[in-house]
Amino acid sequence: MECFAYGYEQYAQVMMDARKPASVDEYLSAFVPDVQEAMQQVRMTIKQAVPQVIEVISYGMPAFKVNKVLVYFAGYARHIGFYPGAAAINAFKADIERYKWAKGSVQFPLDQPIPLDLIKRITLFRMAEDAETKRAKSS
């Protein structure tokens, strides 16, 4: 399955250039429509869960922050990588056990429905963590 709009070689060259995508829209535009659509669903789910979230590019991928980065995601040939951090992965371990996951990340295969409700719940969990960290620092 080809996941990049201009082929992997062209995408790899863009990524190897000193320039990273300037926006989430630019990042998404490097992928074929099916992958763009899946990532757009993830993006909208995050923004609906936390309307005040700010989109940025961090580590060359879309990131969403309020005080600090809550979550990241990235597109790949066969999955979307979702990066909420270790505490969120641990808190939702039962929900993600059917997916490939690691300490701070989970992979959602593109040949299955993207679990948008799970992404929403994880994002809200991260927002609560972020707010608590800010409160603790203010005290």
Side-chain angles (χ1 to χ4, degrees), residues 53-74:
V53 77
I54 299 166
E55 292 184 328
V56 296
I57 296 293
S58 182
Y59 298 105
M61 66 183 124
F64 300 82
K65 69 181 201 168
V66 176
N67 299 303
K68 293 193 172 196
V69 172
L70 305 177
V71 296
Y72 304 80
F73 72 78

Side-chain angles (χ1 to χ4, degrees), residues 3 5 27-41:
C3 74
Y27 178 89
L28 297 179
S29 72
F31 294 85
V32 295
D34 289 350
V35 179
Q36 285 182 34
E37 182 180 332
M39 288 191 293
Q40 195 67 259
Q41 290 175 351

Side-chain angles (χ1 to χ4, degrees), residues 6-107:
Y6 304 104
Y8 180 78
E9 293 77 20
Q10 290 88 347
Y11 179 79
Q13 185 60 50
V14 167
M15 297 308 286
M16 289 175 64
D17 290 344
R19 176 178 110 62
K20 66 179 181 179
S23 68
V24 174
D25 287 327
E26 186 177 333
Y27 178 89
L28 297 179
S29 72
F31 294 85
V32 295
D34 289 350
V35 179
Q36 285 182 34
E37 182 180 332
M39 288 191 293
Q40 195 67 259
Q41 290 175 351
V42 172
R43 179 189 197 185
M44 290 299 111
T45 298
I46 294 165
K47 290 172 80 170
Q48 288 169 358
V50 182
Q52 71 271 34
V53 77
I54 299 166
E55 292 184 328
V56 296
I57 296 293
S58 182
Y59 298 105
M61 66 183 124
F64 300 82
K65 69 181 201 168
V66 176
N67 299 303
K68 293 193 172 196
V69 172
L70 305 177
V71 296
Y72 304 80
F73 72 78
Y76 297 94
R78 293 183 179 89
H79 71 275
I80 291 177
F82 186 66
Y83 308 94
I89 293 297
N90 193 48
F92 289 89
K93 207 172 263 188
D95 296 300
I96 65 167
E97 66 184 10
R98 65 181 278 216
Y99 303 104
K100 185 174 179 181
W101 59 276
K103 182 178 178 180
S105 65
V106 59
Q107 295 180 7

